[in-house]
Amino acid sequence: MTGSSSSVPRKPAASERQRRDRMKHLYSTLASFLHLQPYERMPLPEFLDRAANALIQRKERVERLKARKEELENELRCASNNGHSLQLVRVTEIDSKLEVNLIISANNKKAEAFRVLSVIEQGGAEITNSSFCTVGQLIYCTIHAQAFQARVGFDVALIESRLLELVYLS
């Protein structure tokens, strides 16, 4: 033989071990993508059921978010077609997390970023992510938050009413 590995037959046990190791690696990757506990700690059928349920939940969440995006885009179109001064306050709770979407006038000195964030924190939420983007005379804000304490939660109605006050009563 010339040292070519293709002419040497593999042992069945070695190839079976490689197959099992590859499957184990794939299951571990799936668990990490779906934020599940490692599959070694539960029976494989249960792990696969949980993975399937997690994928279904993610798909449903994507559909809800797509519908919400379209709703917001329609509101923007309607408001801009009517020539109104466009300002929007939307506060929603999604999967026990808070999402705040604002469109405010850049001339609105009362609704500055630090005041908006302060209102959310006063409502019992901790800011996890925020983005502010100015386009022309409008400021687009998206803020994600979660409760300071999971047991207590946050007051969505209070946050929304204070933000409405801040944006519209300036």
Side-chain angles (χ1 to χ4, degrees):
M1 285 199 188
T2 62
S4 166
S5 62
S6 63
S7 63
V8 177
R10 287 188 177 178
K11 293 182 180 179
S15 64
E16 178 61 20
R17 180 181 311 256
Q18 286 178 341
R19 186 193 68 79
R20 283 194 313 264
D21 289 343
R22 177 156 165 66
M23 291 303 292
K24 188 181 287 191
H25 173 71
L26 290 172
Y27 289 134
S28 294
T29 302
L30 179 62
S32 67
F33 282 146
L34 297 177
H35 304 291
L36 299 173
Q37 59 178 302
Y39 82 97
E40 292 104 359
R41 296 186 185 157
M42 68 180 80
L44 188 58
E46 182 182 340
F47 171 77
L48 293 174
D49 281 344
R50 286 188 182 186
N53 288 336
L55 288 172
I56 290 168
Q57 288 174 351
R58 295 236 173 137
K59 183 179 179 186
E60 289 170 353
R61 182 166 187 256
V62 165
E63 293 303 317
R64 282 193 322 262
L65 290 172
K66 282 182 180 178
R68 190 150 167 270
K69 176 186 173 192
E70 188 158 324
E71 182 183 319
L72 287 171
E73 287 173 344
N74 287 337
E75 282 183 31
L76 286 174
R77 265 188 241 107
C78 288
S80 63
N81 289 342
N82 294 336
H84 289 109
S85 170
L86 179 64
Q87 296 198 107
L88 171 77
V89 174
R90 182 171 303 251
V91 180
T92 53
E93 184 176 359
I94 301 174
D95 299 334
S96 72
K97 302 221 185 294
L98 184 73
E99 180 175 304
V100 177
N101 294 299
L102 300 171
I103 301 174
I104 53 180
S105 170
N107 299 328
N108 187 341
K109 299 300 179 199
K110 202 172 171 194
E112 293 174 326
F114 78 92
R115 287 191 176 129
V116 169
L117 297 175
S118 176
V119 164
I120 295 168
E121 288 177 339
Q122 288 169 5
E126 176 182 21
I127 308 295
T128 56
N129 183 20
S130 66
S131 69
F132 294 81
C133 177
T134 303
V135 178
Q137 291 298 311
L138 296 175
I139 301 171
Y140 295 84
C141 313
T142 301
I143 302 161
H144 295 101
Q146 62 188 17
F148 279 122
Q149 296 178 337
R151 289 187 319 226
V152 177
F154 43 77
D155 190 345
V156 175
L158 175 69
I159 292 170
E160 185 170 26
S161 68
R162 287 192 178 164
L163 286 173
L164 285 167
E165 216 175 89
L166 190 66
V167 170
Y168 290 110
L169 300 178
S170 57

